[in-house]
Amino acid sequence: MTRNAGAYLDVPGTEIAFDAAAGERSYLWSRYFVTEPVDALSAGDNIGNTFAIRCRNADGTALPTATEAGSYWAANLVPAIENKLTSALRWVFVAPAAGSYTCRLSIVSYSSIIVNGRTVTMRVPAGAELARQTYPVYTDITRWTLLAGSGTTVARGTTATTLGYTVTPTAGNRLSLYQDAALSTCAAGSSICSGGTTAYDGTVVETWVEAQPRNADGSLCGGPIAGPVSRWDITNAKHHQSAANTLTLTTAQLGGCTQVRTTLKVRNVDGNPVKIHDGYASGTIAATHGSAITYTV
């Protein structure tokens, strides 16, 4: 690992190669993707980790300019509270053209403790894998990303509504909505976001998906449906946390409404402000992003 985040390292054995028609969708997700230190770490040895799904052309070249190439999941490892991290990556690849592609799991680890000759080695234990489910070009699966300039900082005691997208299900009897947020606590003096003070050691955050059924003209059609609430304790040591959220509905719950406006709710329960990251990391890797899948069971 390095002092600052450097180049991703691909995880051997996780690459998937496939052919796809233009616009064909592939739902990708990680399983058993864990990182841990080779040697035991002490309290204060907080290791930043960014896990990613990354896709490119089968010949190794990058996808066309501005084409979204994957998503990331990030958090600090905080010993001695925890001795390993398990990621929860998921993303939808949309083939930019008919061709051959590869996708794989990658990781980079970094920390300010790498100084004065100190070295730390992290490892990914055997078993990490990337799973893929394909969907035809015109099936009901889509993705969206919180674009650069759309992020926000959520103050203590307030709730932000973000990552909005309107879904129009046309088939199936189930609708799964995924909304995954890249969050960072605004510590005192942070270069990432302002407003933090030493009065708090981090931020307690709650996140959930909300679905508002609508008519074809955009008017409301019944009340909002809230998904399960997840709670995240993002201490200064933890620093950042990717918060995964899911709401699964039956189409019967839509009451005949033809559209669903889905949003992500981020509530700052207590502590310093929390930043919702937008845009992409290097390589057009999505930070805060969502997807919707309609299917039949």
Side-chain angles (χ1 to χ4, degrees):
M1 57 175 287
T2 56
R3 179 174 175 83
N4 300 304
Y8 282 106
L9 297 175
D10 293 338
V11 179
T14 64
E15 183 173 277
I16 296 176
F18 56 93
D19 296 329
E24 183 177 311
R25 274 85 165 145
S26 295
Y27 177 60
L28 302 167
W29 70 99
S30 65
R31 295 194 290 215
Y32 320 116
F33 191 9
V34 178
T35 193
E36 62 187 14
V38 172
D39 298 312
L41 298 171
S42 302
D45 291 342
N46 307 317
I47 309 300
N49 299 274
T50 301
F51 304 74
I53 293 172
R54 300 197 303 151
C55 297
R56 57 190 174 215
N57 296 313
D59 63 4
T61 59
L63 299 176
T65 302
T67 300
E68 191 170 296
S71 68
Y72 74 80
W73 186 101
N76 279 9
L77 175 75
V78 183
I81 297 173
E82 56 193 358
N83 56 21
K84 64 181 180 180
L85 282 179
T86 302
S87 63
L89 281 160
R90 49 190 177 177
W91 181 66
V92 175
F93 172 76
V94 180
S100 298
Y101 301 94
T102 59
C103 299
R104 87 275 309 139
L105 299 177
S106 305
I107 189 169
V108 58
S109 298
Y110 45 91
S111 177
S112 60
I113 68 172
I114 304 302
V115 66
N116 298 326
R118 183 176 182 185
T119 61
V120 173
T121 301
M122 301 290 289
R123 66 181 164 205
V124 175
E129 60 185 19
L130 179 62
R132 173 176 177 255
Q133 174 66 52
T134 60
Y135 295 85
V137 175
Y138 298 109
T139 195
D140 277 347
I141 178 171
T142 189
R143 70 156 195 248
W144 58 94
T145 296
L146 189 64
L147 299 178
S150 302
T152 189
T153 299
V154 188
R156 179 173 176 261
T158 66
T159 301
T161 300
T162 188
L163 203 58
Y165 192 85
T166 299
V167 179
T168 305
T170 59
N173 58 17
R174 292 287 190 278
L175 174 62
S176 285
L177 303 170
Y178 303 98
Q179 301 265 43
D180 296 345
L183 307 175
S184 289
T185 185
C186 300
S190 171
S191 61
I192 297 175
C193 48
S194 60
T197 75
T198 56
Y200 301 104
D201 178 25
T203 314
V204 177
V205 185
E206 291 180 342
T207 59
W208 67 97
V209 178
E210 184 175 279
Q212 173 60 65
R214 292 187 175 184
N215 296 306
D217 62 2
S219 60
L220 300 185
C221 180
I225 303 170
V229 177
S230 297
R231 192 176 180 95
W232 314 92
D233 186 4
I234 312 175
T235 62
N236 288 344
K238 175 61 67 175
H239 176 55
H240 54 175
Q241 176 70 60
S242 290
N245 308 272
T246 302
L247 170 60
T248 298
L249 305 170
T250 64
T251 51
Q253 287 178 268
L254 303 182
C257 309
T258 58
Q259 295 183 342
V260 178
R261 180 69 176 178
T262 179
T263 55
L264 173 68
K265 298 287 188 176
V266 180
R267 176 188 294 149
N268 185 331
V269 177
D270 194 24
N272 281 323
V274 64
K275 180 178 177 62
I276 304 172
H277 291 274
D278 54 18
Y280 300 99
S282 60
T284 325
I285 305 299
T288 297
H289 58 98
S291 65
I293 304 174
T294 304
Y295 56 99
T296 299
V297 294

